[in-house]
């Protein structure tokens, strides 16, 4: 599985934007970039995913580099509820025949200060 | 929409007993469900992939006789930890993918905290 590299931890201030980076230099052409987050003592929650173009949804934006070797998850205004571990995961729907399993790395632990 | 429910939320039992954890997709049909395990301060580790009506596919190093998975319907998968021991104590999490979406996200349950005394 193609691997991703994320900082172990990041800090942000409440109501300020947060940019969470992810490096995936060995990404293949059919790998989608998925982001999930996990709040304490809960199961992960889907945030966003994309292939080549930047993506926006109600939770966040995903900016994908032109060469696709890195991406950035953008939280436009961090709240205390956004404190979580954020996982950047590559998922290839074509190579595996198991509906796209996710292999989690260590993720980035985001803390939000009031 | 896309709610996955896990039951029980937590369980404490004696060493040697078997424990069953249920994972249900409440408002969609799930062709595929996944089971993960998470130890404190660590990331999620995929244990197995469960497809409705067929045998589960286990990840390397996961004992299939220890962790029995049954995906009997499009809305229910169960994980049974057989003859549980203290080292099996962990946070077990399931997820599901909707039948229609090949590139759809996984929807996760809230996990089951298992403590073996």
């Amino acid at each position: 599985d193609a691997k991703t590299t994320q900082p172990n931890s990041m800090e942000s201030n409440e109501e300020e934007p947060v940019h969470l980076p992810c490096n995936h230099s060995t990404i293949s052409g059919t790998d989608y970039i998925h982001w999930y987050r996990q709040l304490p003592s809960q199961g992960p929650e889907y945030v966003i995913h994309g292939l080549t173009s930047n993506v926006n949804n109600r939770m966040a934006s995903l900016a994908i580099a032109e060469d696709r070797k890195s991406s950035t998850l953008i939280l436009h205004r961090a709240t205390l509820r956004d404190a979580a571990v954020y996982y950047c995961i590559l998922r290839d729907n074509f190579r595996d025949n198991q509906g796209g399993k996710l292999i989690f790395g260590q993720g980035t632990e985001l803390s939000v200060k009031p | 929409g896309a709610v996955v429910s896990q039951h029980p939320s937590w369980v404490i039992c004696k060493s040697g007993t078997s424990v069953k954890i249920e994972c249900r997709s409440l408002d969609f049909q799930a062709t595929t469900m996944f089971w993960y395990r998470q130890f404190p301060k660590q990331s999620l580790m995929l244990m197995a992939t469960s497809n409705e009506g067929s045998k589960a596919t286990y990840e390397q190093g996961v004992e299939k006789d220890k962790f029995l998975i049954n995906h009997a319907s499009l809305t229910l998968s169960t994980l049974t930890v057989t003859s549980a021991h203290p080292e099996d104590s962990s946070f077990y999490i399931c997820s599901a993918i909707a039948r229609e979406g090949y590139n759809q996200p996984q929807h996760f349950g809230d996990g089951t905290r298992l403590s073996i005394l």
Side-chain angles (χ1 to χ4, degrees):
Chain A
D1 298 302
K3 295 187 76 170
T4 62
T5 305
Q6 298 177 254
N8 289 334
S9 62
M10 288 184 66
E11 271 190 1
S12 72
N13 295 314
E14 198 175 10
E15 298 194 3
E16 290 185 358
V18 182
H19 290 236
L20 296 161
C22 181
N23 286 320
H24 29 78
S25 58
T26 58
I27 191 170
S28 74
T30 51
D31 282 329
Y32 281 77
I33 303 159
H34 286 249
W35 284 83
Y36 287 77
R37 70 180 186 181
Q38 185 178 25
L39 278 65
S41 299
Q42 294 186 26
E45 173 187 29
Y46 166 77
V47 177
I48 201 166
H49 76 281
L51 184 62
T52 55
S53 305
N54 294 344
V55 185
N56 300 296
N57 66 21
R58 62 174 181 82
M59 288 182 71
S61 296
L62 176 60
I64 302 173
E66 201 168 326
D67 63 4
R68 300 213 321 129
K69 294 187 176 184
S70 65
S71 60
T72 303
L73 179 71
I74 303 165
L75 307 179
H76 296 286
R77 285 182 70 217
T79 69
L80 297 178
R81 275 206 73 251
D82 291 322
V85 179
Y86 287 77
Y87 297 99
C88 168
I89 305 168
L90 301 183
R91 192 174 114 183
D92 187 336
N93 291 323
F94 295 93
R95 267 207 297 265
D96 81 79
N97 59 1
Q98 296 171 352
K101 61 183 181 181
L102 298 174
I103 304 299
F104 284 78
Q106 292 306 307
T108 296
E109 184 169 12
L110 175 68
S111 56
V112 180
K113 294 187 289 185
Chain B
V3 177
V4 173
S5 173
Q6 253 183 271
H7 179 81
S9 301
W10 57 272
V11 59
I12 302 173
C13 60
K14 292 181 180 179
S15 185
T17 58
S18 293
V19 179
K20 181 186 280 190
I21 302 169
E22 291 187 348
C23 178
R24 293 180 185 273
S25 56
L26 296 186
D27 51 1
F28 67 99
Q29 293 185 320
T31 312
T32 306
M33 289 183 169
F34 302 87
W35 287 95
Y36 298 83
R37 181 166 58 178
Q38 185 175 33
F39 292 108
K41 301 294 184 185
Q42 293 187 23
S43 186
L44 282 80
M45 186 196 80
L46 178 66
M47 298 175 69
T49 302
S50 165
N51 291 292
E52 184 262 338
S54 62
K55 289 184 179 179
T57 302
Y58 291 81
E59 294 297 303
Q60 194 170 8
V62 178
E63 301 173 58
K64 58 181 69 174
D65 294 331
K66 173 77 172 176
F67 300 100
L68 301 178
I69 292 171
N70 186 340
H71 194 155
S73 75
L74 285 171
T75 59
L76 174 64
S77 176
T78 59
L79 168 68
T80 301
V81 183
T82 62
S83 187
H85 291 286
E87 58 266 29
D88 298 321
S89 299
S90 189
F91 191 46
Y92 291 87
I93 307 167
C94 72
S95 70
I97 294 180
R99 181 179 201 174
E100 301 81 10
Y102 192 54
N103 189 33
Q104 292 306 304
Q106 288 188 23
H107 304 285
F108 287 82
D110 276 338
T112 296
R113 197 161 298 282
L114 174 62
S115 295
I116 308 298
L117 304 177

